[in-house]
Structures are given as C-alpha cells and as structure tokens.
Amino acid sequence: MIRIFALPRALVASLLAAGLGGCATGEIGPTPQVSSPMNAGDVTIFRDGSWVGLWAPIVLRIDARKVLKVGRNETYTFPLPAGEYVFDYSIGFNECRRVAQIYPQGRYRFRLAPNCAGFNWGWGY
C-alpha cells in the first residue's frame, strides 16, 4: 500500500518544484551598462501586493530586453545611464509600455501594476 502512494507523491513534489522554479523572480538579464555614475539616474521598480496576478511575476523589459521578473511586494533599485528608454512589461495578456527620460543624478520610482493603470513614475533631482 505504501508504495502505491509513493509515485504520486514524488510526481506532485517534482511538479511543484518545477512550477515554483518557473515563477522565480529577480534579475533575468543585464541592465544597460553605466560608464559614469555621475551620468546616471537611480531607478526603483516596485510592485505592490495587489491580488491581481497573484501567482504570476511581471516581466519588465527595458528597450525590448528582458531585465527583471518582479513578484508581489518586491522592489529593485539599479543605476541607469541618462537617456530615453522604453519600459514595458507584461503580465498574462496585459502589455504596458511607457517612454521614460532618465536624467543624470535623478531618482525615479516606477510602479508596476497588473492592469497597466498604475505604470507611473516620479523623479527628483
């Protein structure tokens, strides 16, 4: 009897591990290289604890390059060289896109919302 249930448990455990591994968050690609810290802005990307898209990480792209997978209640900060960038992200069937101008020594906060309505930013010098 015990051996009959061993296979389903092992199968469930391996499927669960594979599923959770696919949802891992964090850096998935490099951000544009900073050659001079004085010519870069500090960018903070955050996602709140919204229940929309509960199990799906948001994939952020900068200039069409995948950079981050952001889960619920996560924040990432990195330097970005001054210039104009296209920030876009997707979650499920929603695609959100904005052009952002990054200035030297600026501080920027980008909120990623699953419904695209909250893709806003603020800056300070």
Side-chain angles (χ1 to χ4, degrees), residues 39-43 80-85 87 100-104 106 108 110:
N39 192 31
D42 287 327
V43 174
L80 197 60
E84 186 175 276
Y85 297 92
F87 283 70
Q101 183 68 40
I102 304 297
Y103 293 99
Y108 304 86
F110 296 90

Side-chain angles (χ1 to χ4, degrees), residues 13-95:
S14 64
L15 288 175
L16 182 61
L20 289 176
C23 294
T25 59
E27 293 182 28
I28 57 174
T31 58
Q33 289 293 321
V34 174
S35 59
S36 168
M38 295 301 291
N39 192 31
D42 287 327
V43 174
T44 299
I45 303 293
F46 70 99
R47 179 178 176 190
D48 61 22
S50 169
W51 289 98
V52 177
L54 174 66
W55 297 106
I58 292 177
V59 176
L60 174 69
R61 291 174 297 279
I62 298 176
D63 289 342
R65 282 189 233 132
K66 292 181 181 178
V67 175
L68 292 171
K69 276 189 181 179
V70 184
R72 289 180 62 233
N73 295 315
E74 289 187 335
T75 302
Y76 296 94
T77 301
F78 53 89
L80 197 60
E84 186 175 276
Y85 297 92
V86 176
F87 283 70
D88 65 279
Y89 64 93
S90 58
I91 180 168
F93 295 114
N94 294 336
E95 292 279 335

